[in-house]
Amino acid sequence: MMMSEIKRKIENCFDQSSENYESNAYIQKSVCKELIKFYVDSKSFDFIKPIRGLDLGSGTGLLSSQFQEIEEFDKLHLVDISKKMIDLAKKKMTNNYVSFEINDFDHYNNFEKFNLIFSNMALHWSSEFEKLFSNLLDKISSDCVLLFSLPNSSSFKSLEKIRLKNLINKLPSEKNILKLINKKKFFYKHKEIILKKKYDKPISFFYDLRKVGANAGLDTKNKRDLFSLRNNNSKILIDYNISFFFVRKF
């Protein structure tokens, strides 16, 4: 299947940021630690071995590496659109049960082979998040756990106040995610945390996005907005509203 223009841009942005990704991924690392804690707090059962794990949008393997410390895997498969991110993950994770795949998770379909599927700050890059999430819920096997974090649509209120939120790609709504979960078929837990970071001026925040490859969704076609961004020297507090979901199929 041919890659869309936006997906090719996502691939290129993460390729370009890969070498320095982990040294700049403050938000992603903080969320990753919180996601592991949320998993431990939410899980009230022991997996029927073997555990077969799937990391969607794995990047350099931050989340998979931490999962290896708390679960014993028979198989752990990392999927990411960026070859350079996968190459770095390969250097970090050398166990013989770990495998890697360069692929767009929107095109991945072997969800039923795994009983622990997880993702950290990645699924919002889906071209059609609700379609992807519905497909996951439909395809995963009974007793499979789906765990993920993502920035939700309530994020970046401060950009909205200065009329620059339209530069950011649209994010999934936590309310809409909850509507997709059939309460008769799934046990689930969710929570939201808010992380904040100060910047001397708005454009510094957008530079930060570029450092971690998260600038692929930026709409820079409107010259008036770009002019406003570059000439805005006011301090800004950026808010990340992060949603966490733990979903287990009955």
Side-chain angles (χ1 to χ4, degrees), residues 98-115:
V98 182
S99 56
F100 306 88
E101 180 177 343
I102 302 164
N103 197 358
D104 177 358
F105 52 58
D106 276 331
H107 300 157
Y108 192 85
N109 265 314
N110 295 320
F111 301 123
E112 68 280 356
K113 295 181 178 180
F114 303 91
N115 56 359

Side-chain angles (χ1 to χ4, degrees), residues 38-39 42-43 45 145-147 187-189 245-247:
F38 177 65
Y39 169 77
S42 300
K43 182 178 162 233
F45 64 96
V145 167
L146 173 60
L147 176 84
F187 164 82
Y188 73 93
K189 292 182 72 173
F245 282 86
F246 177 103
V247 183

Side-chain angles (χ1 to χ4, degrees), residues 27-75:
I27 295 293
Q28 290 78 4
K29 286 180 178 178
S30 298
V31 174
C32 186
K33 290 179 181 178
E34 192 66 33
L35 184 59
I36 288 289
K37 182 178 182 298
F38 177 65
Y39 169 77
V40 172
D41 292 343
S42 300
K43 182 178 162 233
S44 58
F45 64 96
D46 291 325
F47 277 103
I48 298 174
K49 303 285 179 70
I51 299 178
R52 300 176 303 279
L54 173 64
D55 188 347
L56 295 173
S58 63
T60 59
L62 276 175
L63 182 54
S64 283
S65 297
Q66 292 194 32
F67 251 118
Q68 285 181 303
E69 297 177 9
I70 61 172
E71 294 290 9
E72 186 176 339
F73 290 95
D74 180 69
K75 176 180 176 60

